[in-house]
């Protein structure tokens, strides 16, 4: 400068612009403040001036830490926390990619999105929680209070610095030193050097360098003085001591020789005088930083930017970055506002149009601008009046297309399209939003659809039970040159909790949109709009993605999103509620016109065709009922309801009473089915058909319990129906409509309804037969089953005053229907709640709550309720069937009888259909609907679930062949076996009521299918039979079925009552679990089914096969059983009987599990592709559940005789080995009686002197000629006992006789090698 002052000023400017980076402490800030003091400016300085300033601490110069303005300390802390969190995130990504490139498995912790950062500045500790919200975006909050925060963005500069944005202001910072144990982080911000202090904690004894702990200088628990060395470490071949900074008691954490890294905790110190250590104060409250605690709100004046910002926020969450539920709610709220703003299209189009000013045809520019300005004015004029406006984006697209068509050359067209592509792309989505009031629906939906597709692409690598390690390995191979892509996929999966929640929210919004008809939504108020996706064209493209989401399994997070996806697909597969409402209204109109005489043509056929469609009514019953203002049409609709619900009955006549809002009707039970007598022989379907066909309905006994069969009846009796009411009895029903439950107290309305019934003093022999329905319009019941009790009790209390009148009217049950409250799920309307009160006290049957009473007996819920506590999981009504779902928890009383049973809840699904004809397609439709209902309910239980399907068709019209029925059911179950297994359904029970020939009585077949192997369903077919004595119905196995020929059914239901409860443990489950647990194998009686499945799979895989050449039965099996040759063939035998030549092996069909030997054998005839006429094979297998699968002499004999049979017949012999080797026999009688003479009974671990038996036991064990023990008399506890010296035993296979059997099978196997191998 030209003078001292100018030079000083230049120096001040130079010092402020000076930036020194690195781990260097400088005096720049100190000097900068010093030369701006008044004494320095006036040149009043001496040699003692600086010392005096330091002594007086003028302007804070005495403390270097105080050089920084205290007002900015909070900003420095936030900037430091932002840099620390960014570096931690970047370092995690770098380590992930490094490990990936080396072929190692990167831990998931490297993708964490939240970091705890502690910084100490000016003696104050700031504990920050830094959450990653995007690639460069972080949210900083105090760790103790996450409710207030500030958001910041970080970007790295080319010179190594950081560009930081906090509260809308930018800062440039340079990290001069990273934090370590010895020193804190240092950074330079705007020329100011900021040094954060290290955390002083004398209670943690650490090392700040890497090395090895050579020696612990003090023992554990010793007292140490301040400054005393406590350890010696080796660093770079040098030994250096470590000293404590305060006095206290030491506790070691590491042993000598341990390798140390910088910062490792060697020991802890309990301070002798904790008060001598002044801890830093922890900051609490709000940070004085711009943007702190400011709620982020979208700019409502610019809805396009608000929409883009919300979409980007959701996409960030789907990429794995942190997004809380409140963030998601705020983003969706902003989306809803932006998507429904009428000016949204013109905001986006106008933004793109402004860029094209002067670059496109002025006339075209003016035309489009005029469209935008005109619509903007229209919006301003109609602001606040609720009118739904729609911008004609099609006009913009058409104007661009028309202008393109006017251009002469292809080059001009291409150039124009390139120029206007952003404008075209901005306008096109609004042409696909077809509903007024939601201009952004297509734009949002297209983004949602892409989000869902991307999520499926990510989770496809991890679903279906894949481990993280396997998924990363697969990703590494698939993206060998794109490791960052692997990181992105893994990071997105790491946020699965958030992403699955987001997907569930999106699916819910899609479900809401699918319920609204865009064509009729113009007239609905904008406040009633249920979804921002209404009218979006892309809604039609979502089904494939929903199917993939619904199929995802393997993680808990997939359950809810998968359930909603399946539910939405399920709802979409059914006729829409609007379509069904319209059809029910048309049927109501026809009945109304019929009653008023204005129906000129015969509409009966049309009405019958309508009811044949089996349209679901439950979810739309109350919305329709409330829509009628004319009471005559209201009552006409009640007749439609009765005709829909009373398919199991014969309806006679109807009487409409619109003044009382009452419908009366009469009906009769249909003819009940018949039953085979229990003693009838049923070795085949042919015998069953013969018995049934030899009877006619007129020749059967009157249905009653305890009936004796007449000789002329040929083995068939008619049975009572479930309600025990004759089909000849005329029954009366009535439906009364009330506005509220309180109107039950209105004796006028109730009296009018009850007086419409035939009054009777004496009951019918079967008790009251009439029914009363009450529809309550305005009192909603909670959707949760457990919360309905309040309404149920209230109804029951109201009915108490009518008990005598109800009895006099012969009313068997009263059912009250109420609308249920919406549960917030995808379904538009919930099925109604129903409460049934039954004679004589008219108390509720809670088991049958929410079940239409005309259906309840067909569900056979009593079989479930006897052993389980039953809770409803809801119901589904489809065009094919009604499906009711129940969660069943084993009762304590049932567990007491089956102590080894699984105590976990399981699901019972009960499906009932009243379709007219049984066919492959109809049964599959019912099965798929039932599986869909179970799938939608998403049961937690995946074990021991049960599905019951009751095909309660009009049996007097259905003539079926049981062989065909069985084959159809088996084939369809095989087709859906994978899904059945996935839902944890272990048993599918199907009841079919049918006639076997025209004019013959109807019978009930019961087909029980299970999949014990997990590979193939096996079937057992039963017919309901009546006991000869008391007429009780039991299950009777039909011989000659596919299962019996193949020995693949378990026949466990044979002879048990049709009302018997479902057991907690199915037959042979214990054996199957034991086989799986002991050697990871199958129960031996399940093995033949695998051979059958393998042969069928061979036929199925045969390309171009002629179906007529494929046999119906591919396997016939008979068990080979060893028996005595003498008169008592069923008596037990031993190896001595074999040696005496008194044993033979015979073929028989006996039930599974009837073996008393740990070796079983079968003769199988397999009709393979190579041998379609069949070839014989001997199959031998160990029963791993019999005495642990060990070999004894009896097992050796079975093996020997079965193998000999194979050699004699010259057929192959297969042996499935699953055993535990030779049996070490135990003398069971001795085992149960011996006792131990311990040296000290209080301390058994001290050993024993001998084992002994009591005097009485000794005499029992030696009373026969062959003594089971050798013992000598001894004294123990002053009693005479017998000390055991030798154990002989009486059971077989106790000693070396096992060698005889081993020799038998070894020699037989050697001979088989020569003869048949």
């Amino acid at each position: 400068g030209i003078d001292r002052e100018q030079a000083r000023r230049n120096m001040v400017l130079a010092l402020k612009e000076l930036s020194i980076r690195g781990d260097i402490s400088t005096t720049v800030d100190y000097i900068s403040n010093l030369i701006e003091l008044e004494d320095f400016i006036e040149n009043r300085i001496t040699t003692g001036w600086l010392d005096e300033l330091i002594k007086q601490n003028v302007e804070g110069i005495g403390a270097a830490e105080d050089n920084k303005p205290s007002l900015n300390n909070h900003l420095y802390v936030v900037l430091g926390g932002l840099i620390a969190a960014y570096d931690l995130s970047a370092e995690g990504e770098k380590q992930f990619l490094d490990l990936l490139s080396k072929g190692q498995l990167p831990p998931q912790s490297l993708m964490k999105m939240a970091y705890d950062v502690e910084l100490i500045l000016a003696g104050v500790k700031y504990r920050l929680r830094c959450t990653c919200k995007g690639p460069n975006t972080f949210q900083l909050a105090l760790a103790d209070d996450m409710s207030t925060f500030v958001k910041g963005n970080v970007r790295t500069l080319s010179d190594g610095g950081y560009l930081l944005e906090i509260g809308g202001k930018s800062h440039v910072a340079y990290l001069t030193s990273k934090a370590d144990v010895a020193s804190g982080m240092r950074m330079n911000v705007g020329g100011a050097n900021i040094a954060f202090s290290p955390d002083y904690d004398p209670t943690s004894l650490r090392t700040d360098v890497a090395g090895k702990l050579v020696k612990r200088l003090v023992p554990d628990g010793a007292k140490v003085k301040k400054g005393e060395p406590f350890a010696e470490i080796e660093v770079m071949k040098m030994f250096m001591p470590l000293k404590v900074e305060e006095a206290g008691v030491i506790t070691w954490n590491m042993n000598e020789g341990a390798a140390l890294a910088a910062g490792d905790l060697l020991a802890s110190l309990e301070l002798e005088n904790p008060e001598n250590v002044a801890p830093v104060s922890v900051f609490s409250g709000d940070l004085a930083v711009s943007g702190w605690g400011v709620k982020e709100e979208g700019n409502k004046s610019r809805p396009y930017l608000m929409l883009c910002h919300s979409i980007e926020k959701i996409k960030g969450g789907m990429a794995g970055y942190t997004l809380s539920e409140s963030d998601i709610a705020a983003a969706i709220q902003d989306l809803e506002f932006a998507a429904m703003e009428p000016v949204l299209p013109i905001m986006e189009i106008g933004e793109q149009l402004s860029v094209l000013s002067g670059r496109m045809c002025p006339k075209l520019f003016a035309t489009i601008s005029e469209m935008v300005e005109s619509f903007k004015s229209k919006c301003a004029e109609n602001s606040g009046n609720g009118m739904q406006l729609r911008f004609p984006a099609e006009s913009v697209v058409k104007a661009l297309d028309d202008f393109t068509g006017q251009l002469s050359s292809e080059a001009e067209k291409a150039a124009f399209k390139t120029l206007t592509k952003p404008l075209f792309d901005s306008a096109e989505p609004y042409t696909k939003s077809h509903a007024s009031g939601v201009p952004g629906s297509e734009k949002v939906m297209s983004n949602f659809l892409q989000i869902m597709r991307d999520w499926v692409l990510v989770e496809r690598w991890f679903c279906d039970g894949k481990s993280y390690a396997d998924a990363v390995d697969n990703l590494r191979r698939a993206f060998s040159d794109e490791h960052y892509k692997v990181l992105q996929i893994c990071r997105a999966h790491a946020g699965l909790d958030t992403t699955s929640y987001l997907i569930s929210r999106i699916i819910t919004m899609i479900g809401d949109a699918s319920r609204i008809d865009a064509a009729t939504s113009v007239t609905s108020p904008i406040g009633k709009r249920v979804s921002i996706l209404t009218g979006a064209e892309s809604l039609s493209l979502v089904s494939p993605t929903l199917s993939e989401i619904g199929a995802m399994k393997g993680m808990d997070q997939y359950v809810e999103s998968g359930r909603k996806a399946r539910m939405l697909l399920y709802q979409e597969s059914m006729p829409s509620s609007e379509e069904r409402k319209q059809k029910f209204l048309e049927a109501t109109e026809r009945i109304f016109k019929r009653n008023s005489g204005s129906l000129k043509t015969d509409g009966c056929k049309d009405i019958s065709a309508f009811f044949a469609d089996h349209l679901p009514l439950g979810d739309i019953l109350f919305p329709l009922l409330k829509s009628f203002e004319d009471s005559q049409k209201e009552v006409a609709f009640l007749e439609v309801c009765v005709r829909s619900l009373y398919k199991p009955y014969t309806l006679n006549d109807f009487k409409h009473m619109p003044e009382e809002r009452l419908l009366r009707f009469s009906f009769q039970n249909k003819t009940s089915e018949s039953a085979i007598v229990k003693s009838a022989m049923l070795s085949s379907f042919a015998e069953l058909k013969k018995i049934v066909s030899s009877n006619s309905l007129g020749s059967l006994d009157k249905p009653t319990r305890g009936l004796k069969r007449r000789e002329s009846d040929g083995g068939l009796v008619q049975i009572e129906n479930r309600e025990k009411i004759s089909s000849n009895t005329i029954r009366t029903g009535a439906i009364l409509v009330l506005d509220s439950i309180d109107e039950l107290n209105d004796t006028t309305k109730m009296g009018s309804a009850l007086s419409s019934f035939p009054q009777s003093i004496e009951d019918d022999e079967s008790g009251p037969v009439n029914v009363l329905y009450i529809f309550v319009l305005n009192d909603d019941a909670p959707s949760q089953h457990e919360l309905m009790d309040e309404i149920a009790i209230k109804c029951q209390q109201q009915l108490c005053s009518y008990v005598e009148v109800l009895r006099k009217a012969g009313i068997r049950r009263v059912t009250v229907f109420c609308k249920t409250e919406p549960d917030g799920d995808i379904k538009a309307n919930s099925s109604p709640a129903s409460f049934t009160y039954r004679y004589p006290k008219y108390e509720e049957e809670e088991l049958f709550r929410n079940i239409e009473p005309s259906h309840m007996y067909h569900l056979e819920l009593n079989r479930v309720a006897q052993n389980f506590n039953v809770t409803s999981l809801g119901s589904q009504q489809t065009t094919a069937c009604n499906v009711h779902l129940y969660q069943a928890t084993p009762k304590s009383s049932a567990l007491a009888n089956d102590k080894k049973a699984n105590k976990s809840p399981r699901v019972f699904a009960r499906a009932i259909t009243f379709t007219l004809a049984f066919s492959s397609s109809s049964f599959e439709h019912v099965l798929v609907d039932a599986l869909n209902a179970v799938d939608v309910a998403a049961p937690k239980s995946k074990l021991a679930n049960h599905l019951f399907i009751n095909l309660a068709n009009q049996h007097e019209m259905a003539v079926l062949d049981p062989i065909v029925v069985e084959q159809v059911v088996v084939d369809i179950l095989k087709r859906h076996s994978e899904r059945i297994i996935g839902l944890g359904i272990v048993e599918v029970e199907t009841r079919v009521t049918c006639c076997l020939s025209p004019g013959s009585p109807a019978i009930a077949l019961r087909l029980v299918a299970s999949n014990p192997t997990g590979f193939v369903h096996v079937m057992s077919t039963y017919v309901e039979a009546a006991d000869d004595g008391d007429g009780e119905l039991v299950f009777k196995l039909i011989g000659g079925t596919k299962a019996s020929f193949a020995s693949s059914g378990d026949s466990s239901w044979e002879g048990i009552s049709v009302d018997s409860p479902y057991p907690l443990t199915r037959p042979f489950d214990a054996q199957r679990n034991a086989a799986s647990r002991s050697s990871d194998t199958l129960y031996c009686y399940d093995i033949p089914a695998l051979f059958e499945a393998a042969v069928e799979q061979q036929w199925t895989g045969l390309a171009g096969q002629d179906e007529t050449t494929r046999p119906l039965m591919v396997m016939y099996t008979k068990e080979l059983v060893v028996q005595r040759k003498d008169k008592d063939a069923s008596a037990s035998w031993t190896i001595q009987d074999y040696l005496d030549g008194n044993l033979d092996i015979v073929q028989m069909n006996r039930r599974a599990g009837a073996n008393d030997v740990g070796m079983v054998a079968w003769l199988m005839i397999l009709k393979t592709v190579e041998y379609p006429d069949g070839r014989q094979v001997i199959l031998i297998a160990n029963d791993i559940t019999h005495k642990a699968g060990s070999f004894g002499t009896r097992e050796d004999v079975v093996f020997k005789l079965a193998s000999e049979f194979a050699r004699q017949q010259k057929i192959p012999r297969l042996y499935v080995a699953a055993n535990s080797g030779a049996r070490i026999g135990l003398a069971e009688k001795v085992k149960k009686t011996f006792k131990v003479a311990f040296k000290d009974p209080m301390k058994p671990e001290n050993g024993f002197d001998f084992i002994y038996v009591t005097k009485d036991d000794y005499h029992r064990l030696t009373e026969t000629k062959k003594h089971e023990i050798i013992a000598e008399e001894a004294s123990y506890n002053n009693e005479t006992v017998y000390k055991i010296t030798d154990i002989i035993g009486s059971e077989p296979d106790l000693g070396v006789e096992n060698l005889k059997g081993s020799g038998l099978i070894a020699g037989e196997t050697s001979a088989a090698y020569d003869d048949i191998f």
Side-chain angles (χ1 to χ4, degrees), residues 266-281:
L266 277 71
S268 300
L269 188 69
E270 184 181 347
L271 297 179
E272 183 177 314
N273 298 302
E275 64 277 4
N276 292 344
V277 179
V280 294
S281 60

Side-chain angles (χ1 to χ4, degrees), residues 439-661:
S441 61
E442 174 62 21
K443 198 166 190 67
V444 176
M445 183 62 218
S446 59
N447 278 285
F448 278 177
L449 185 57
Q450 190 58 48
I451 285 171
M452 293 167 68
R453 288 170 175 168
D454 291 342
W455 187 72
V456 170
L457 290 175
V458 168
E459 295 306 324
R460 191 178 290 162
W461 296 98
F462 299 90
C463 65
D464 298 328
K466 296 186 189 77
S467 67
Y468 171 73
D470 289 341
V472 172
D473 191 47
N474 293 335
L475 283 165
R476 183 191 287 115
R477 288 198 294 268
F479 303 100
S480 55
D481 298 326
E482 300 177 83
H483 287 167
Y484 193 75
K485 179 71 173 176
V486 179
L487 170 62
Q488 289 177 316
I489 292 174
C490 291
R491 180 167 53 208
H493 173 70
L496 183 57
D497 288 339
T498 299
T499 59
S500 60
Y501 175 76
L502 267 169
I503 292 296
S504 295
R505 290 290 302 267
I506 290 173
I507 293 173
T508 300
M509 287 191 282
I510 293 173
D512 290 339
S514 65
R515 300 203 311 260
I516 298 300
D517 183 3
T520 61
S521 64
V522 179
T523 57
S524 62
I526 195 166
K528 293 184 180 179
R529 181 76 62 203
V530 293
S531 175
I532 58 174
L533 305 179
T534 302
E537 196 171 293
S538 296
L539 281 170
S540 61
L541 306 176
V542 77
S543 293
T545 306
L546 287 174
S547 297
E548 292 188 78
I549 294 173
M552 283 186 178
K553 291 184 172 50
M555 294 190 183
D556 293 340
Q557 292 90 336
Y558 300 147
V559 171
E560 183 61 16
S561 56
R563 184 188 70 85
K564 289 193 173 185
R566 293 190 297 272
M567 180 179 287
L568 184 53
L569 289 169
Y570 181 66
Q571 294 294 321
E572 290 300 302
S573 67
M574 295 172 57
S576 69
S577 58
E578 296 298 326
E579 181 183 346
R580 286 184 284 128
K581 284 179 183 178
Q582 188 60 37
K583 289 188 176 182
F584 274 101
L585 288 173
E586 290 173 0
T588 301
E589 189 68 23
R590 285 186 172 275
I591 291 176
F592 169 72
K593 290 181 177 180
R594 181 203 65 193
N595 291 343
S596 62
S598 59
L599 188 63
K600 297 180 180 179
T601 60
D602 182 12
C604 294
K605 291 184 178 179
D606 293 332
I607 295 176
S608 299
F610 164 75
F611 291 114
D613 289 339
H614 308 288
L615 292 177
L617 171 64
D619 59 329
I620 59 174
L621 189 153
F622 277 96
L624 280 174
L625 197 57
K626 287 184 177 183
S627 67
F628 295 108
E629 296 180 359
D630 186 341
S631 60
Q632 291 184 340
K633 290 187 177 181
E634 181 183 66
V635 177
F637 175 67
L638 295 181
E639 181 177 334
V640 174
C641 295
V642 172
R643 291 184 179 275
S644 296
L645 297 175
Y646 267 63
K647 292 187 178 74
Y649 299 88
T650 301
L651 291 169
N652 296 329
D653 55 15
F654 293 85
K655 183 177 181 181
H656 292 228
M657 292 177 273
E659 296 81 9
E660 292 85 6
R661 302 176 78 181

Side-chain angles (χ1 to χ4, degrees), residues 84-99:
Y86 179 83
D87 285 350
L88 288 171
S89 177
E91 180 61 25
E93 289 188 7
K94 181 177 179 298
Q95 290 183 34
F96 188 100
L97 296 173
D98 288 345
L99 291 172

Side-chain angles (χ1 to χ4, degrees), residues 7-61:
R8 186 192 67 81
R9 291 182 178 182
N10 290 343
M11 176 63 73
V12 169
L13 183 62
L15 289 174
K16 288 185 178 297
E17 292 181 346
L18 180 64
S19 175
I20 300 175
R21 299 194 297 274
D23 190 13
I24 303 171
S25 298
T26 68
T27 58
V28 172
D29 295 332
Y30 186 88
I31 295 173
S32 179
N33 290 331
L34 194 68
I35 63 178
E36 292 200 64
L37 294 176
E38 185 178 352
D39 286 344
F40 189 88
I41 293 173
E42 299 296 331
N43 200 16
R44 295 195 299 266
I45 56 176
T46 64
T47 55
W49 174 72
L50 185 58
D51 292 336
E52 188 66 24
L53 288 179
I54 295 173
K55 181 178 179 181
Q56 297 177 4
N57 192 19
V58 174
E59 299 222 6
I61 287 179

